[in-house]
Amino acid sequence: RGGRDPRTGFDCYGLVVALYRLRGIRIVDIAERLSCGEWQQVDRPAIYDLVLLGATHCGLYVPCGRLLHTTRETGAVLAPLNAYRPMISGYYHFVGGNND
């Protein structure tokens, strides 16, 4: 249930932030960083690229054409990206530096 703390649960942004932190990249606020140019929009996603769904939901592209994201009902979900294609508003590759 929504948040950025693994003890209480992740929302979609919290999941992305936590997984990027595991890769050594500190992201404070995805929406703010999108406007600062730390994410570059791409036509096709690569592994671990950000997938925006509408204006308020996101997930990560993972191998084999899947989307890793969260829902209130089930928590983390790994699902075929094709199932969400009508809702996708963009793919973004992180190009910013490690801002730890």
Side-chain angles (χ1 to χ4, degrees):
R1 286 200 171 149
R4 294 191 182 181
D5 185 336
R7 293 170 295 203
T8 58
F10 291 127
D11 60 13
C12 61
Y13 285 116
L15 178 66
V16 170
V17 168
L19 292 174
Y20 265 83
R21 182 167 288 261
L22 289 173
R23 297 178 64 210
I25 300 170
R26 184 172 177 256
I27 299 169
V28 178
D29 186 306
I30 293 170
E32 178 183 311
R33 297 300 179 195
L34 280 171
S35 66
C36 292
E38 288 190 0
W39 296 85
Q40 178 181 31
Q41 189 164 15
V42 295
D43 292 331
R44 290 185 175 170
I47 295 172
Y48 304 122
D49 279 352
L50 182 70
V51 179
L52 289 184
L53 301 164
T56 60
H57 190 60
C58 68
L60 292 176
Y61 181 79
V62 294
C64 300
R66 297 196 175 268
L67 176 69
L68 177 62
H69 69 111
T70 62
T71 71
R72 289 179 191 231
E73 295 79 25
T74 61
V77 174
L78 185 59
L81 183 64
N82 284 338
Y84 296 90
R85 226 170 265 292
M87 297 178 278
I88 295 172
S89 54
Y91 304 114
Y92 294 85
H93 183 75
F94 186 77
V95 294
N98 183 343
N99 51 359
D100 256 340

